[in-house]
Amino acid sequence: METTITNARVVTPSEEFIGSVQIIDGKIASVKTGTSGVAGAHDWGGDYLIAGIIDLHTDNLEKHYEPRPNVHWDPVGAAMAHDAQMAAAGVTTVLNALSVQGFRKGRDRLKKLRPILSGLKDAGKLGALRIDHKLHLRCEVSFPGLMDVLAPLLDEPELSMLSIMDHTPGQRQYRNMTHEEMLELISAYVHTEEERQAAVEHFRHRANDGCDVENRAAVVEQARGLNIPLATHDDETAEHIALAKSEGAGMAEFPVTMEAAQLARDEGLSVIMGGPNLLRGGSHSGNIAVAEVAEAGLLDVLASDYLPLSMIRSAFLLTDAPFDWSVPEAMATVTDAPAMAVGLSDRGRIEAGRRADFIRVHKKDGEWPLVRETWVTGARAA
């Protein structure tokens, strides 16, 4: 099958220009400047043609499965709704970030893991998914049962990333939160005293268990043995970055201090931050603002975290003052840079030989960018 897009503002890794892109059998065959006279070419009227967005970290699938605390929806329907929302936001490849842990904010996230995975697989078998879904397992090292749960998941064919987390109060993301404040937070998410007590016991146990060192070493060993890209999460100190570097991590997700972000860059780790943080003007939990990281020239990758539409908007925001990044540089944070971070060398750029994953974006000065079309392997998906 052959398709030509013409009169588009094509964004490559190094430049933008009015041009034409030819697609043959799901791949980009050629990229040329100027308009094309090919009969039946799609005229995009000067709209942007950008590589499809690659999202390395989103909780959006979990959110669709559990739209309200302890309210679980049909897992296939949840996968389909999540997929449609990602496609509409211009995402063509998503690494669904699923937590391998026990309680978090009073809810047992482990109970959701298998139904969510099954729903995603079943939706794929039905042909109900529009974009490419991969798996990012978030490994909570302070969870005593981590490796028992993780081991069988390491055979998942779509597993593309492992990240190491530790949400024990008093450090990293929760460095400013006391144990008592964590329990107060939990109370907002549970309905019964029995649930609260279960969560309290969980946090008390994991704060004193000491399993984090052993679990962390085991995750690192598995990542190395299986050659799976590894990220560290919520780094706070120089010691955290030094540890991540020694373990072979290639990514620092959501560092919580400028010191950690700078050291991560110095050590060659890709710095991943959340789009919602940039759009909101700061962190919801009191950590560093993405704007600070971007202004310091330390931002490599943007992820949706919990809001898919934030990615295209935050990427374009980087082209405005005070950042004033070029369009190719800004778009790379959601396309080429995430692809390189996890070894997806077949996508992420508008160039010959790559997968024909791309989006059409209409953008006027001062207005939200509008994703008008999303294409996956040369076929329109949204």
Side-chain angles (χ1 to χ4, degrees):
M1 180 178 178
E2 181 175 344
T3 304
T4 299
I5 310 293
T6 190
N7 195 23
R9 183 167 292 279
V10 179
V11 180
T12 72
S14 59
E15 58 183 333
E16 58 174 306
F17 53 85
I18 294 296
S20 302
V21 175
Q22 181 189 38
I23 301 102
I24 299 177
D25 295 334
K27 291 187 177 182
I28 297 173
S30 66
V31 182
K32 299 178 181 179
T33 59
T35 57
S36 170
V38 173
H42 298 254
D43 187 334
W44 277 17
D47 284 348
Y48 284 99
L49 191 157
I50 301 167
I53 292 173
I54 299 170
D55 190 359
L56 299 185
H57 184 127
T58 182
D59 303 335
N60 197 57
L61 178 54
E62 286 189 355
K63 187 167 61 177
H64 278 283
Y65 177 68
E66 188 178 18
R68 292 187 178 182
N70 297 312
V71 175
H72 297 155
W73 194 34
D74 173 77
V76 174
M80 292 169 62
H82 160 65
D83 173 79
Q85 187 178 6
M86 300 303 287
V91 176
T92 54
T93 300
V94 57
L95 272 63
N96 295 299
L98 301 181
S99 297
V100 184
Q101 65 182 91
F103 281 90
R104 175 91 194 279
K105 295 180 179 178
R107 288 179 282 174
D108 188 348
R109 298 184 82 166
L110 201 57
K111 281 185 176 180
K112 301 188 290 184
L113 187 57
R114 279 299 180 184
I116 288 174
L117 278 173
S118 296
L120 193 60
K121 290 179 180 179
D122 290 344
K125 291 174 183 177
L126 289 171
L129 301 179
R130 311 175 190 206
I131 68 171
D132 193 10
H133 288 263
K134 298 185 180 299
L135 187 58
H136 166 188
L137 292 177
R138 305 173 61 197
C139 306
E140 180 63 55
V141 296
S142 62
F143 169 46
L146 171 64
M147 296 312 298
D148 290 337
V149 179
L150 180 63
L153 299 176
L154 295 173
D155 293 328
E156 292 290 336
E158 298 305 327
L159 180 58
S160 302
M161 180 175 171
L162 293 173
S163 61
I164 296 173
M165 309 186 301
D166 186 348
H167 287 97
T168 302
Q171 49 90 57
R172 296 184 183 262
Q173 182 180 354
Y174 295 128
R175 68 193 191 282
N176 298 320
M177 183 175 285
T178 65
H179 190 74
E180 289 70 26
E181 288 172 331
M182 176 61 80
L183 296 182
E184 183 178 346
L185 177 64
I186 288 170
S187 298
Y189 289 87
V190 298
H191 300 290
T192 68
E193 181 59 24
E194 182 181 1
E195 291 174 331
R196 183 181 183 278
Q197 285 303 317
V200 168
E201 288 304 313
H202 168 75
F203 277 103
R204 181 179 293 122
H205 177 73
R206 85 178 195 185
N208 298 298
D209 183 79
C211 65
D212 56 322
V213 175
E214 181 179 345
N215 278 342
R216 186 172 185 123
V219 172
V220 170
E221 181 181 4
Q222 292 295 335
R224 286 175 177 167
L226 297 170
N227 197 28
I228 299 172
L230 180 68
T232 186
H233 193 72
D234 292 338
D235 295 300
E236 176 189 356
T237 66
E239 290 75 16
H240 290 161
I241 296 299
L243 177 60
K245 180 66 175 180
S246 71
E247 294 168 333
M251 296 164 277
E253 282 196 299
F254 313 141
V256 300
T257 64
M258 282 298 293
E259 176 191 25
Q262 180 66 65
L263 290 172
R265 168 59 68 79
D266 293 345
E267 292 291 352
L269 278 70
S270 295
V271 177
I272 302 174
M273 303 296 289
N277 180 313
L278 183 59
L279 296 186
R280 295 180 67 255
S283 166
H284 71 277
S285 53
N287 297 313
I288 56 170
V290 174
E292 295 178 58
V293 179
E295 286 191 77
L298 302 176
L299 175 64
D300 295 305
V301 175
L302 285 166
S304 74
D305 196 3
Y306 56 88
L307 189 62
L309 200 57
S310 69
M311 294 193 71
I312 190 65
R313 174 67 175 121
S314 55
F316 268 103
L317 191 62
L318 292 173
T319 67
D320 297 335
F323 314 106
D324 295 319
W325 290 19
S326 70
V327 171
E329 183 182 18
M331 294 308 115
T333 63
V334 296
T335 57
D336 192 31
M340 290 192 298
V342 293
L344 294 174
S345 59
D346 64 339
R347 66 197 75 185
R349 293 187 178 191
I350 300 300
E351 68 178 23
R354 300 271 176 152
R355 274 175 54 125
D357 293 355
F358 56 89
I359 57 176
R360 178 181 183 177
V361 180
H362 181 74
K363 177 71 169 70
K364 291 183 178 179
D365 289 344
E367 295 184 2
W368 265 74
L370 304 178
V371 178
R372 285 182 161 176
E373 300 179 23
T374 299
W375 292 62
V376 179
T377 58
R380 186 170 175 181

